[in-house]
Amino acid sequence: MKWKRRETAEWRRQLSRLLVLALFFFAGILLGQVFSSRVPDTTGDELARYLKDFLKVGEEDLSPRAALSAAVLYFRYPLAAFLLGFASIGVLALPLVTGAFGGFLSFSVCCFAASFGPDGVLLALAVFGLRCVVTLPCYFLLAVPALERSAALACLSLGGGRRAGPALYGREWWGRLAVVAGVLLAGVCADLMLTPWFLRQLLERMLIG
């Protein structure tokens, strides 16, 4: 019975950390919508150029620069969450990074909608949809345990608690990173191959319609 109680208590702690990060994520979404209303009118021209450059990825041979750019977009937030798990400051920085994640996505979608009308939402979905489906679960899969580790380190730095030893970053910690890295790499490859094609099909249908 004791192990069941410990398991239930651990599950509740994990859920509470997830809820904290989720609240910051949705707060970032709201802030992204607020800031998007202040973008200049030239944003539409910039987004049009961005879409043209994006389509070139599918038309030309894949360059190392394009692959690196896609990898950065996929790995930046999950990797930031993982690294913050090694620092006590992560207990404060992780919620802020989570809010920035949500704010960037919301700001981007709102800019597309403001520039291209209702079709802008579909364009944003074509550009960011696959990336969000892959990166969001991966981010929270790393951010939740990272928040736990950083909170423990913060307690230690303030003189509370005892050192947990090597088990603090054991097999589960590194195994989780390996799984997430594999999923992100697969997402990068799928994005480079499928997203330009999907965007091109969507633009053609919009022009025909």
Side-chain angles (χ1 to χ4, degrees), residues 11-136:
W11 181 83
R12 288 178 178 175
R13 286 195 295 270
Q14 295 285 351
L15 181 60
S16 65
R17 299 182 192 106
L18 176 61
L19 289 176
V20 168
L21 294 176
L23 286 175
F24 275 87
F25 183 79
F26 287 112
I29 290 177
L30 295 177
L31 287 176
Q33 294 177 355
V34 172
F35 286 122
S36 67
S37 63
R38 302 180 180 180
V39 297
D41 296 334
T42 57
T43 302
D45 296 332
E46 295 177 1
L47 290 176
R49 289 194 296 270
Y50 172 79
L51 291 176
K52 290 179 181 178
D53 293 337
F54 198 91
L55 288 173
K56 291 179 181 178
V57 175
E59 297 174 351
E60 302 173 355
D61 293 336
L62 182 62
S63 66
R65 181 179 180 181
L68 179 60
S69 177
V72 169
L73 291 174
Y74 270 77
F75 277 85
R76 57 181 175 177
Y77 286 109
L79 183 59
F82 177 78
L83 293 177
L84 285 172
F86 292 97
S88 58
I89 192 63
V91 72
L92 298 176
L94 271 167
L96 297 178
V97 170
T98 306
F101 194 1
F104 172 77
L105 293 176
S106 175
F107 180 83
S108 301
V109 173
C110 289
C111 286
F112 270 90
S115 300
F116 303 108
D119 291 337
V121 178
L122 294 177
L123 291 173
L125 180 63
V127 175
F128 306 115
L130 178 60
R131 191 191 312 167
C132 291
V133 169
V134 174
T135 58
L136 278 175

